[in-house]
Amino acid sequence: MAASTLSVMCGIVAYVGARPAKDVVLEGLRRLEYRGYDSAGIAVLDGEEVELRRKAGPLANLEELLAVSPLPSSGTGLGHTRWATHGAPTDDNAHPHLDCKNALAVIHNGVIENHATLRAQLLEAGHRFRSETDTEVVAHLLEDAFGQSGDLAQAMRDVCRMIDGSFSLVAVHRDAPGVVVGARRNSPLVVGVGDGEMFVASDVAAFISATRDALELGQDQVVCVTPSGAEVTTFDGTVVNGRRYHVDWDISAAEKGGYDYFMLKEIAEQPDAVAATLLGRLTHEGTLALDETRLDPRLLRDVDKIVVVACGSAYHAGLIAKYAIEHWAGLPCEVELASEFRYRDPILDKQSLVIAISQSGETLDTLMAVQHAKEMGARVLAICNVNGSTIPRASDAVLYTRAGPEIGVAATKSFVTQLVAVYLVALYLGQVRGTKFGDEVAEVVHELAATPEKVAQVLQTMEPVREIARQLASAPTVLFLGRHVGYPVALEGALKLKELAYMHAEGFAAGELKHGPIALIERGVPVVIVMPPPTGRAVLHSKLLANMQEVRARGAYTIVIAEEGDTAVEPYADELVRVPRVATLLQPIVSVIPLQVFASELAVARGNNVDRPRNLAKSVTVE
Ligand code: G6P
C-alpha cells in the first residue's frame, strides 16, 4: 500500500508571511470547500499564545465565531476543513489540535494507524486529551519532542518516525514564530512559493489565487517553511531538493485536480479510497482488526442470519456482500432494497444481524429499514461513508468506508469502498466464527491488501474504454451481462449508464438470458459482458463464454471485460477490456471500474453534466 497517496479526506492550508494569516488561511479554506467537510478551524501564533477557533458545520459557522471572537493579525497560522474519520464531527474534534500547554497547533489529513497505542502511552505519561481524534496524539508527541530538541522541524521528524499510517501534517509552535513545518507520508502536501510569503496546503487550489509557483513534497519528507524559503529533509534529516513546478490550472480546474468533473476525479481517487478503507484493518499476520466497529465478537458468534438493506449502488454492494458472507462466514444472507424491506414481514430476531449500507448515512428508505429491524430486536451494523450521520447513529455498530467526500451524484469511489467494507465484514465473520481456517483468511487478506495497486493498474489502461464509449454515444440501448458476483457488477454498470448518460440500459444475470432478455438482441446491440476469472470457478467462465456466443450469433456487439491472460474470450469479443487477475469474489473491485469510465465518457460525449445528472439527488431523504 506504500505507493498509494491518500488525498481523499481533509483540507489543509497554512501560511507564513507579512499578511494577516487568519485572512489568508480563511480564504484558502474557502478554496478547499469543494472537497466536502463537516467542520473547520484556524489557529494563529500571537506572541506567547496559540489562538484557536473551531466550529462544526459549514465555514459560515466558523466565520460567525470569528466575527464575535476575532483572531489576532499575526503572519503565521494554519487552518483545516475536516472530514471526520476518528470521532464525530464536533467542535472539539475539529482541527487544529493543541498540546497540553497550548503552545503548538497541528492539523492532519489521513489516518494514524497506531493512535490507540500511542494515546494510551501518552495518557500514562500524564498528557491530557481533549478530543476523540487520532490526530491529537501528534500534538502531544510533538510537545514532548519539541521539549527535547527545541526545533520544530526536528520534532516533526522525530514524531513521523513514531507514527504509522497515512498523514499530511502541519504544525506551528509559539516558540518558533515565523515557522511552519509540514510532513507527509501516503498523503499529499504541497508548498506554495510566494514573494516573501509561503503556503503549505493539501492541494494547490488553496493558494492558487496568490501564487502559481509550487514545491512538491516527496514521500516521507518534512518541510520547514519561513517567509523567505523552504528546507526539505527526509524523516531522518537528510536535506533533499523538492520538485519545483508551475501550476497552470485555473481555480475551477485546480478544485477538480485538473479533471473536467468531480466524478472523474473521484474515479481516479479509487486506489486511495480503497487503501484508506483497508488502513489499520488488516494485520501483517493476515487477520482482521475491526475493534473500532463496536461489533462484539460474542454476539457475532450467535448470529444465525444476515439481512442486508440498501438503495441504489449501495444495494448492488449488498448483493455482492451476499456471495462473500455465504462463502466466508457460512451464514444465510438475504439482500433487500430498503424501500421494500419495511413493507413486508421480515422474520428477524436478536440473532439476526442487519447490515445497512449507505454512503451518505441519510437515505430515508435505509434509515426506516434500520428502525424497522431494531424494533424487531435485530442488531444493526451500518456501513457508511459520512462519519456521525444518522444511519450509523441509529445502528448498534458501524464500519466507516473512508472514500472521503463524494461530490459527483453517481456513486463511484463510495461504491468501491463499500465493496471493501463488505469483504472486511464477511471475512471478520468467518474469522470470529471459525468458519474459515486462519490461513484461508490470511490468503484473502493479502489479496485485499493488493487491491489498491490493482485498481490503479485498471485506471492506467482506460483510454480504449473511452474510445469505445465515444463510438456508442448514439446507441439506443446497452445491455450488461454477468454471473455470480459479476451479476451485481452488470446491474451497477447499467445503473451508471442510466444515471449519467440517460440511456436505456439493463443488467442481467447471464443465465436468465434465455428466459427472456435474449429477445432484445438484434444486429449491433452493444452487450457488455463481465467475465469471471477463468480459474477459480471454471464452470462460471465456461457458462458465460457460451452466453457470449449466443448473443454474438444473434448480432450483438460484444464488449468483454476479462482478466489478463483469458485467451478463451478472444474469438467472441468485438472489444476486449483487460483487468488484472484477482480472486473471484474480489473481482468486482476491478471489473466495475471500466463500467464507471464507460458511463462517464458516454455521458460527456452526449453533452451531459456527469456531476449533476438530471432529476437525481446525491442523498434522497424522502421515501
Ligand atoms: C441516491 C444516489 C445514488 C446512491 C443512492 C443511495 O439515489 O443518487 O448514487 O447509490 O442514493 O445512497 P446512499 O447515500 O444511501 O448510499
Side-chain angles (χ1 to χ4, degrees):
M1 259 180 273
S4 195
T5 295
L6 298 174
S7 59
V8 290
M9 294 191 235
C10 309
I12 278 180
V13 57
Y15 174 79
V16 59
R19 293 190 276 159
K22 61 180 173 121
D23 300 337
V24 182
V25 168
L26 186 60
E27 165 68 15
L29 293 182
R30 278 196 207 101
R31 300 283 189 199
L32 295 177
E33 271 196 290
Y34 75 89
R35 295 170 73 105
Y37 63 99
D38 47 46
S39 55
I42 299 181
V44 299
L45 292 186
D46 182 36
E48 294 297 283
E49 295 299 325
V50 175
E51 287 273 350
L52 171 69
R53 306 286 183 272
R54 301 180 295 185
K55 210 68 199 153
L59 265 187
N61 295 4
L62 177 65
E63 289 175 73
E64 265 173 41
L65 175 66
L66 289 168
V68 290
S69 174
L71 281 167
S73 294
S74 93
T76 308
L78 42 72
H80 187 268
T81 48
R82 175 172 188 250
W83 173 262
T85 54
H86 291 78
T90 59
D91 292 355
D92 287 343
N93 288 333
H95 300 211
H97 289 284
L98 307 185
D99 64 335
C100 296
K101 305 187 194 97
N102 296 348
L104 68 88
V106 66
I107 52 180
H108 166 222
N109 181 4
V111 177
I112 312 268
E113 265 184 69
N114 56 339
H115 73 102
T117 319
L118 291 168
R119 179 185 273 253
Q121 289 164 359
L122 287 158
L123 283 168
E124 179 83 2
H127 286 271
R128 280 175 301 110
F129 277 77
R130 291 176 274 192
S131 78
E132 304 155 303
T133 63
D134 52 338
T135 306
E136 199 183 343
V137 298
V138 176
H140 296 285
L141 291 171
L142 276 174
E143 175 181 0
D144 288 351
F146 188 88
Q148 281 169 17
S149 66
D151 175 339
L152 191 55
Q154 182 58 44
M156 184 64 95
R157 286 191 285 269
D158 293 342
V159 170
C160 286
R161 292 196 303 270
M162 299 165 75
I163 54 180
D164 299 331
S166 76
F167 46 85
S168 318
L169 292 164
V170 183
V172 294
H173 196 293
R174 69 179 180 203
D175 296 336
V179 173
V180 168
V181 168
R184 65 156 292 221
R185 167 179 286 166
N186 294 336
S187 184
L189 201 62
V190 56
V191 178
V193 182
D195 185 8
E197 58 181 12
M198 301 283 277
F199 304 78
V200 183
S202 45
D203 66 69
V204 295
F207 56 70
I208 202 167
S209 59
T211 179
R212 284 168 182 257
D213 287 323
L215 172 76
E216 192 183 65
L217 265 202
Q219 177 73 337
D220 285 7
Q221 293 182 352
V222 167
V223 65
C224 181
V225 171
T226 63
S228 56
E231 184 183 62
V232 183
T233 58
T234 60
F235 285 176
D236 52 22
T238 312
V239 177
V240 289
N241 289 325
R243 185 178 79 85
R244 285 286 287 267
Y245 65 104
H246 185 76
V247 184
D248 44 21
W249 294 334
D250 64 13
I251 181 68
S252 99
E255 284 181 348
K256 295 172 191 140
Y259 294 91
D260 291 339
Y261 291 96
F262 283 109
M263 183 181 154
L264 305 184
K265 173 170 160 285
E266 286 156 5
I267 289 174
E269 284 172 345
Q270 292 181 114
D272 296 355
V274 169
T277 304
L278 291 171
L279 206 65
R281 291 164 172 172
L282 307 179
T283 70
H284 293 299
E285 294 74 46
T287 57
L288 292 116
L290 295 189
D291 309 345
E292 56 176 306
T293 57
R294 310 188 303 260
L295 273 175
D296 182 343
R298 277 169 310 175
L299 291 175
L300 291 183
R301 281 193 275 275
D302 292 339
V303 166
D304 63 7
K305 166 187 185 175
I306 307 251
V307 179
V308 183
V309 291
C311 304
S313 295
Y315 170 70
H316 297 153
L319 290 174
I320 293 165
K322 177 180 169 70
Y323 294 87
I325 288 169
E326 290 180 349
H327 184 72
W328 288 326
L331 277 167
C333 178
E334 293 170 24
V335 189
E336 178 119 27
L337 289 164
S339 54
E340 290 294 318
F341 174 77
R342 64 189 290 239
Y343 296 109
R344 60 181 184 92
D345 300 305
I347 316 295
L348 294 176
D349 58 30
K350 61 180 181 15
Q351 281 172 281
S352 317
L353 177 68
V354 170
I355 303 180
I357 309 178
S358 172
Q359 184 285 131
S360 61
E362 301 297 344
T363 301
L364 196 61
D365 285 324
T366 310
L367 178 63
M368 290 301 165
V370 166
Q371 284 173 357
H372 190 50
K374 293 212 75 177
E375 277 158 22
M376 300 192 66
R379 317 235 165 223
V380 180
L381 165 69
I383 291 179
C384 188
N385 194 42
V386 179
N387 204 304
S389 55
T390 310
I391 290 169
R393 282 192 277 118
S395 304
D396 300 293
V398 54
L399 179 64
Y400 285 111
T401 54
R402 300 190 192 120
E406 192 174 64
I407 294 173
V409 165
T412 53
K413 62 176 180 170
S414 66
F415 175 74
V416 169
T417 55
Q418 283 163 356
L419 295 180
V420 173
V422 300
Y423 294 140
L424 289 172
V425 169
L427 281 172
Y428 188 64
L429 282 164
Q431 179 178 295
V432 298
R433 295 168 62 85
T435 39
K436 286 281 152 191
F437 291 116
D439 54 345
E440 289 176 62
V441 173
E443 199 180 309
V444 190
V445 162
H446 292 128
E447 290 242 13
L448 263 178
T451 51
E453 199 48 50
K454 304 250 166 117
V455 173
Q457 272 178 40
V458 185
L459 287 167
Q460 280 154 18
T461 55
M462 284 298 94
E463 196 41 47
V465 174
R466 291 191 194 97
E467 183 53 40
I468 301 166
R470 289 191 286 267
Q471 283 167 18
L472 294 176
S474 53
T477 185
V478 180
L479 306 180
F480 293 76
L481 297 181
R483 275 180 186 260
H484 191 253
V485 288
Y487 165 46
V489 174
L491 295 177
E492 177 63 8
L495 178 63
K496 289 277 102 46
L497 208 56
K498 286 180 232 186
E499 288 176 311
L500 299 168
Y502 319 146
M503 283 170 76
H504 176 254
E506 288 298 331
F508 299 107
E512 272 295 290
L513 199 65
K514 56 188 175 293
H515 298 296
I518 200 161
L520 294 169
I521 308 292
E522 54 185 3
R523 182 141 307 280
V525 169
V527 179
V528 179
I529 297 151
V530 184
M531 282 305 289
T535 49
R537 297 184 184 213
V539 65
L540 286 174
H541 185 269
S542 60
K543 287 261 160 61
L544 205 45
L545 206 57
N547 299 138
M548 200 191 311
Q549 292 171 56
E550 285 156 19
V551 293
R552 203 150 182 275
R554 288 162 179 82
Y557 182 73
T558 54
I559 302 153
V560 181
I561 317 289
E563 193 178 277
E564 281 157 4
D566 179 356
T567 49
V569 295
E570 286 168 4
Y572 316 109
D574 292 303
E575 304 284 354
L576 188 49
V577 178
R578 293 294 189 186
V579 289
R581 181 166 295 186
V582 290
T584 305
L585 275 168
L586 304 186
Q587 204 207 24
I589 292 187
V590 290
S591 57
V592 76
I593 311 249
L595 306 190
Q596 298 169 341
V597 172
F598 180 68
S600 57
E601 188 68 28
L602 229 155
V604 172
R606 287 163 71 100
N608 300 350
N609 178 340
V610 294
D611 282 342
R612 293 176 187 280
R614 71 184 181 202
N615 307 339
L616 297 180
K618 181 75 186 150
S619 170
V620 183
T621 51
V622 291
E623 277 190 88

